[in-house]
Amino acid sequence: MQAFIEHLSKILEQRYILTQDEDKAPYLTDWRKRYIGKALAVLLPSTSDEVAAIVKLCAQNQVALVPQGGNTGFCGGATPDNSGKQVVLNLKRMNQIREIDIANQTITIEAGCILQALQEKALEHGFLFPLSLGAEGSCMIGGNLATNAGGTNVLRYGNARDLCLGLEVVTAKGEIWNGIKGLRKDNTGYDLRDLFIGSEGTLGIITAAVMKLYPLPVSQWTTLVACENIASTIALLNLFQKRASSLLTGFEMMTRESLDLNEKHFPHMANPLQGNSPFTVLIELSDHESEEHVRQLLEAILEEAFEVKLISDAVIASNLAQANTFWHMREHITLAQAEEGANLKHDITIPLSSLDSFIQQTDALMRDKFPGVRIINFGHLGDGNLHYNIAPPLGVDPKIFNEVNEKQIHELVYGQVERCKGSISAEHGVGQLKLDGLRAHKGEVAHELMRALKTALDPQNILNPHKVVSI
Ligand code: FAD
Ligand code: MLT
Ligand code: ZN
């Protein structure tokens, strides 16, 4: 392997080939510290040509590559295995904005561009780039596309896939596919762009993308409301969809247990709603007409919701700072979970019509089989996407609890997901975490088609092997 490293130094300057343990360490574990891998080297290219040359060299030497962006993923997709024979290819140096096309309302950026930097660049030009998630200060657009990230604006603008018009990808052979086009219609056979989006680095390495931009809303109003049961939260969503239609840009649900955990670790993030209701919903309306128009609409919908007893309390953010506080409270649940210790994550989608039945039955079974567990259930209710996470009973060591119960808890949740015709991964992807569960979930035919695609595009299995599908 010494020869391989020597060859690398013809492609990259030595300082961008990390081989010392202390230099590699931050790239070898995931955000949740659930996985720790080893790597021959961590490589930091700055151009698509460098990426292509590295992949070619890896293909010649049968060295597997693990693409990596901001390393904020939840499924271990960006962590190498334990062999010490893989290389991590981190794209953070590929962070240039290549073009902003005002008339076409698109932006062309490199894969290592941090999501927040992209949002800010759009804003500078008077546009909204709507992808928004708690990790936006560190995740990168390449990672967002590779995982088809969701977040809090999917309800109105769709997920990362829906926001992308074109891609540049380095293939497993080390060739560059130039699909950098800002077209909203292009029916020229198989959609390669859609194939690479959501493939978690197993089919190609995304090096650049053309993303859609949107007009900025003139006013946004945010409210927190209290609901007594999940059926009311869904009826409330339907009411907002009917009355506000596309002005509805956020509809996030948090259970009391989630907010209690938040308050335990971040007392300043306490729920401003009194009364301890079982469900709190954060709702955002965005308007292109006027502040007055959206405020009146919000008040009218809330009044109706009170009248038909869908909500028992509400607080409307009186200014931007308070609206931000509401959103921070929502986004801090993940951080509170991390502070509390290891927990079992389930990122699932359920058709809204089955959500009530899912939560009622799964909660009951969970509390019956695992007495004392804390169900940290929150998520993007407008998308039917729950983060149905399980923390051990208070005072129980999470590590020991998970070792004993993880498999059964996953089986219980995923069994209910199947019953309700849902998905075991709504937005976080598969990575190595859900590799085993995927086959049963997708069914034999779909799984075989996925394996066939992987074999066709990466016959040597050098792109992120044993993630998503094994061949
Ligand atoms: P990484 O973690 O580096 O990689 C993720 C996967 O993509 C890996 O399989 C990796 O190999 C592959 N990959 C990375 N870059 C490339 C590339 N250029 N080409 C090919 N493959 C690549 N996710 C959501 O969907 N919604 C949320 O609301 C959300 N909230 C979060 C909040 C917090 C606090 C945290 C820590 C994470 C959250 N996530 C959320 C998960 C995570 O941020 C997303 O999955 C994000 O899209 C990952 O981007 P990344 O750049 O960190 O990718
Ligand atoms: C969120 O919606 O906050 C994220 O997906 C993070 C999480 O699931 O913890
Ligand atoms: Zn989420």
Side-chain angles (χ1 to χ4, degrees):
M1 279 299 137
Q2 196 47 42
F4 171 74
I5 299 280
E6 273 164 27
H7 266 104
L8 275 174
S9 56
K10 295 191 181 128
I11 303 170
L12 289 180
E13 281 177 47
Q14 202 62 45
R15 62 189 163 135
Y16 299 126
I17 305 171
L18 313 183
T19 53
Q20 299 301 311
D21 286 347
E22 62 275 22
D23 298 333
K24 290 188 288 184
Y27 304 89
L28 302 183
T29 187
D30 61 318
W31 188 86
R32 289 206 289 155
K33 311 269 180 288
R34 189 187 157 106
Y35 300 99
I36 298 175
K38 294 185 184 144
L40 191 60
V42 174
L43 309 178
L44 306 172
S46 69
T47 65
S48 308
D49 286 337
E50 285 177 359
V51 174
I54 291 166
V55 177
K56 249 182 211 147
L57 182 67
C58 286
Q60 280 157 11
N61 289 274
Q62 303 275 347
V63 171
L65 296 116
V66 179
Q68 191 177 81
N71 203 13
T72 65
F74 283 139
C75 300
T79 310
D81 68 14
N82 271 319
S83 66
K85 292 180 177 164
Q86 303 186 327
V87 295
V88 173
L89 189 74
N90 185 294
L91 295 178
K92 68 180 181 186
R93 292 182 61 233
M94 290 196 64
N95 58 4
Q96 299 301 306
I97 309 278
R98 290 190 186 166
E99 189 193 8
I100 296 191
D101 184 334
I102 302 285
N104 202 39
Q105 309 216 336
T106 52
I107 184 165
T108 305
I109 69 269
E110 291 183 346
C113 186
I114 288 182
L115 174 55
Q116 196 175 322
L118 171 51
Q119 294 164 344
E120 285 166 5
K121 188 49 88 176
L123 199 59
E124 263 175 44
H125 289 78
F127 286 109
L128 169 75
F129 180 66
L131 189 68
S132 175
L133 39 135
E136 63 199 20
S138 33
C139 64
M140 297 172 189
I141 198 69
N144 298 148
L145 286 164
T147 54
N148 188 24
T152 52
N153 272 329
V154 174
L155 181 62
R156 166 67 180 86
Y157 297 99
N159 44 31
R161 183 188 301 282
D162 300 306
L163 299 172
C164 178
L165 294 176
L167 283 183
E168 179 186 89
V169 175
V170 171
T171 70
K173 280 186 188 165
E175 290 171 341
I176 299 176
W177 169 56
N178 182 351
I180 291 291
K181 283 186 177 172
L183 303 178
R184 285 166 174 85
K185 285 188 167 178
D186 183 10
N187 280 350
T188 47
Y190 306 136
D191 195 324
L192 298 176
R193 174 198 59 193
D194 266 356
L195 200 56
F196 291 113
I197 296 174
S199 68
E200 300 179 52
T202 61
L203 300 181
I205 296 164
I206 297 168
T207 45
V210 185
M211 306 301 291
K212 292 182 196 168
L213 298 174
Y214 287 83
L216 274 174
V218 294
S219 179
Q220 285 188 309
W221 281 78
T222 312
T223 179
L224 282 177
V225 303
C227 291
E228 294 311 310
N229 52 56
I230 194 71
S232 303
T233 65
I234 295 162
L236 183 69
L237 169 66
N238 292 157
L239 176 67
F240 267 91
Q241 285 168 325
K242 188 172 156 210
R243 296 284 313 274
S245 186
S246 62
L247 303 196
L248 179 63
T249 47
F251 200 94
E252 298 284 318
M253 182 277 284
M254 298 157 275
T255 60
R256 187 192 301 150
E257 268 174 311
S258 312
L259 292 175
D260 285 350
L261 187 70
N262 228 4
E263 201 175 336
K264 175 176 168 190
H265 293 286
F266 307 107
H268 62 292
M269 291 280 158
N271 190 351
L273 290 172
Q274 308 295 318
N276 250 351
S277 63
F279 298 95
T280 297
V281 184
L282 191 168
I283 303 162
E284 181 192 77
L285 296 188
S286 306
D287 194 28
H288 292 268
E289 199 174 310
S290 71
E291 180 128 359
E292 183 69 358
H293 175 255
V294 65
R295 189 179 45 76
Q296 278 176 4
L297 179 66
L298 177 60
E299 284 170 359
I301 303 174
L302 288 179
E303 216 173 282
E304 189 175 334
F306 267 119
E307 267 166 28
V308 295
K309 299 200 169 18
L310 291 182
I311 58 177
S312 52
D313 197 3
V315 51
I316 297 179
S318 54
N319 52 40
L320 186 63
Q322 199 180 12
N324 286 340
T325 311
F326 292 178
W327 277 108
H328 286 153
M329 183 178 89
R330 160 65 182 83
E331 278 158 6
H332 268 68
I333 302 172
T334 309
L335 308 182
Q337 286 194 280
E339 290 292 316
E340 184 75 1
N343 64 87
L344 300 175
K345 272 192 172 293
H346 306 96
D347 160 44
I348 57 179
T349 351
I350 303 290
L352 284 165
S353 43
S354 304
L355 208 68
D356 189 9
S357 149
F358 173 86
I359 293 179
Q360 298 225 26
Q361 284 202 27
T362 315
D363 280 8
L365 286 169
M366 194 65 73
R367 296 199 199 284
D368 181 47
K369 295 208 162 110
F370 306 95
V373 287
R374 288 164 295 158
I375 303 173
I376 310 301
N377 181 10
F378 62 99
H380 317 287
L381 194 90
D383 314 320
N385 178 185
L386 297 180
H387 296 307
Y388 193 89
N389 305 324
I390 305 299
L394 273 173
V396 174
D397 183 320
K399 237 181 141 195
I400 297 171
F401 178 83
N402 292 348
E403 258 166 41
V404 177
N405 300 300
E406 172 160 9
K407 195 165 172 277
Q408 289 172 56
I409 287 180
H410 287 327
E411 276 171 13
L412 193 164
V413 176
Y414 294 147
Q416 291 296 316
V417 168
E418 299 304 343
R419 178 181 70 77
C420 296
K421 300 191 171 45
S423 170
I424 63 167
S425 176
E427 57 173 10
H428 296 165
V430 175
Q432 47 184 305
L433 180 69
K434 296 177 194 163
L435 182 68
D436 292 336
L438 193 76
R439 187 177 193 147
H441 176 67
K442 295 289 273 194
E444 214 45 51
V445 174
H447 194 254
E448 267 316 304
L449 287 172
M450 285 174 70
R451 280 165 48 97
L453 282 171
K454 170 72 176 164
T455 315
L457 268 72
D458 179 20
Q460 288 181 282
N461 197 18
I462 59 164
L463 294 180
N464 221 0
H466 310 301
K467 311 279 173 58
V468 187
V469 283
S470 281
I471 57 169

